[in-house]
Amino acid sequence: IIFILEFIPKIWPIILPILLFEIARSLRWEKKNALFLVWLSALPFALQVSGSFTLPVNLSFLFWLAVILLQLKNREHFSWFGHFFILFLGVLMAFGHSLYFILFWLAYALLIIIYFCPFKKIYHFFILLATVAAIPVLELVSKFSQLNHNIDWWGSIKSIVGNFTGWYLAVGPRVSDITVGNIILNQPPLSAFVSNIFTYNRFWLVVLMLVFWSIYLLSSFQWIKSSARLQHFFIILNCGFWGGYIISRYFLPGENILARRLDAVLAVLTILPVAHWLYKIILQQNNFYLKKIIFFLIFLIFSAAITASYSLGPDTIAISTEQYLAMDYIWQKEKNSEKICVLSDTYPLLALE
């Protein structure tokens, strides 16, 4: 535990930018475009909180991202040794968090199929359906989710729109904590919200999110129309994981153990096409001064958004003295026991850890 407490916050700001830069270079982006991606990775709340919280699952995310990078590099300069080494790393993931073991094999199978059937759209369609269904089906089989025969379709759709456009944040904050959809912007409860110059009037964030998702959809469509196999790989992975996340989190009641840990994965997959499109818009300007003005505006707007995003979370709380004493009592009584099961709220359990 002490190792994790010290390790994650220190390596995250070093390892994640390197991985993102190298993934961008594997996609044959220019170095400046790759650096632009690294800078934009400061925007998603999911990546901010993953680097600040000392949870072991965040190490698994970095390991998974590193293995994805190794697969891309091995595709550039293929070797059987590298191929089997990647498979060995994939098997090792079975001893970590099961989500990333599943995601590795989904990504591995997808990359193999795309390289053997690169331009047959019908194959890509069925691959996409399988990727969308993977997480919800596994959760249903594992009893992490349950089928809901009385789905409030309109309510779920409103929640999706309200979460991802920042509307609930703009008209709130709400009294209760919103635990779903905190991928780009966090939605803190009223008790944890602190207003500042960037969040005093929050409707500009709604406009920004509408623009952000429009760019994401436009760039994703361009990647689909592209002949580049790796762009197809990332878009199918992107759409598949997003589809599985939305189905599990908004339409299947239960703990959603797998889908709820997809936030950091979705954050990375989402900013990839956005960063690519924004940088391409800058390069397409022939006029030197117009190019500088557009770059300055993008930099200014997204810098303000990054600052606002940082100020919105994480919405942690401090446990009370009574909760601390209760956890200390359990620890003193059970610390030598081999099998312990403690049922409690999240934050007292963190104190017990």
Side-chain angles (χ1 to χ4, degrees), residues 89-151:
L89 294 178
V91 173
L92 282 184
M93 288 186 181
F95 301 97
H97 289 83
S98 57
L99 171 66
Y100 292 102
F101 176 74
I102 296 165
L103 296 188
F104 166 78
W105 290 105
L106 282 174
Y108 174 81
L110 177 59
L111 197 60
I112 294 295
I113 293 171
I114 281 180
Y115 267 84
F116 278 102
C117 308
F119 306 115
K120 297 180 180 179
K121 294 182 179 179
I122 187 65
Y123 289 127
H124 290 185
F125 176 73
F126 285 113
I127 296 167
L128 176 60
L129 290 181
T131 310
V132 169
I135 297 298
V137 168
L138 287 170
E139 288 193 334
L140 288 171
V141 171
S142 305
K143 307 298 183 182
F144 293 144
S145 300
Q146 295 82 43
L147 282 175
N148 183 5
H149 299 288
N150 299 304
I151 298 175

Side-chain angles (χ1 to χ4, degrees), residues 4 8-9 48-56 58 314-316 347 350:
I4 293 173
I8 294 179
Q48 299 169 14
V49 75
S50 296
S52 60
F53 276 10
T54 54
L55 300 176
N58 298 328
D315 41 291
T316 55
Y347 289 99
L350 289 174

Side-chain angles (χ1 to χ4, degrees), residues 81-96:
F81 174 78
H83 183 77
F84 286 116
F85 180 68
I86 290 168
L87 291 179
F88 171 72
L89 294 178
V91 173
L92 282 184
M93 288 186 181
F95 301 97

Side-chain angles (χ1 to χ4, degrees), residues 202-263:
R202 296 173 295 282
F203 283 97
W204 74 275
L205 291 172
V206 177
V207 177
L208 179 71
M209 283 296 96
L210 290 174
V211 172
F212 178 90
W213 291 116
S214 298
I215 292 172
Y216 166 74
L217 292 174
L218 178 61
S219 184
S220 297
F221 179 75
Q222 291 175 348
W223 281 28
I224 292 171
K225 301 292 287 183
S226 167
S227 60
R229 300 177 184 182
L230 286 181
Q231 288 188 351
H232 290 182
F233 166 73
F234 276 107
I235 285 303
I236 293 175
L237 211 61
N238 204 331
C239 296
F241 290 167
W242 266 113
Y245 178 88
I246 289 173
I247 290 171
S248 289
R249 296 296 275 159
Y250 289 94
F251 298 101
L252 297 179
E255 290 299 322
N256 307 138
I257 296 297
L258 298 177
R260 70 191 303 173
R261 289 177 168 82
L262 275 175
D263 286 16

